[in-house]
């Protein structure tokens, strides 16, 4: 039997192949690695960009080369529409001229 390594965050989301968190319903979207050092490097890179990330490396046994069913997070994964963005430019009013 073979094994793979995955990344799970503190909300129970899995790191996906599309470079974003997924809930684990669709196994094809979950990123997996064959070697522990590769997944550790990826987790380090992720945590360097997001200092609030509390991720862990999870080792799973594959079944006929496929990932087993994963625990699906009870917390929904935020979509791009849910994330508020700061404006790129701040509107500045014209200065008041002294008469």
């Amino acid at each position: 039997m073979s094994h793979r390594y995955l990344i799970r965050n503190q909300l129970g989301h899995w790191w996906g192949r599309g470079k974003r968190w997924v809930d684990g319903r669709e196994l094809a979207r979950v990123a997996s690695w064959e070697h522990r050092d590769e997944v550790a490097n990826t987790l380090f890179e992720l945590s360097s960009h997001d200092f609030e990330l509390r991720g862990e490396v999870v080792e799973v046994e594959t079944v006929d080369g496929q990932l087993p069913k994963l625990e699906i997070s009870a917390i929904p994964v935020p979509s791009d529409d849910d994330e508020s963005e700061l404006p790129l430019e701040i509107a500045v009013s014209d200065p008041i001229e002294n008469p």
Side-chain angles (χ1 to χ4, degrees):
M1 226 185 252
S2 178
H3 60 270
R4 302 290 290 183
Y5 296 98
L6 314 173
I7 297 175
R8 181 172 53 197
N9 69 11
Q10 68 271 24
L11 302 175
H13 302 147
W14 303 92
W15 186 243
R17 292 179 183 210
K19 308 280 190 229
R20 61 182 335 138
W21 296 104
V22 296
D23 62 9
R25 293 176 203 266
E26 299 175 48
L27 295 176
R29 295 180 60 197
V30 176
S32 67
W33 292 264
E34 186 176 349
H35 302 286
R36 187 172 179 84
D37 59 338
E38 291 176 333
V39 72
N41 289 339
T42 302
L43 181 56
F44 178 80
E45 289 177 21
L46 289 172
S47 63
S48 69
H49 293 290
D50 180 4
F51 65 90
E52 294 179 349
L53 174 65
R54 300 296 175 260
E56 65 177 327
V57 174
V58 178
E59 182 179 2
V60 296
E61 294 290 329
T62 58
V63 179
D64 296 327
Q66 301 293 320
L67 293 176
K69 287 189 176 186
L70 301 174
E71 181 179 344
I72 297 172
S73 175
I75 301 171
V77 177
S79 67
D80 288 337
D81 297 336
D82 293 343
E83 296 178 11
S84 61
E85 293 185 19
L86 296 174
L88 295 177
E89 295 181 9
I90 299 174
V92 178
S93 60
D94 292 331
I96 301 173
E97 294 184 27
N98 291 334

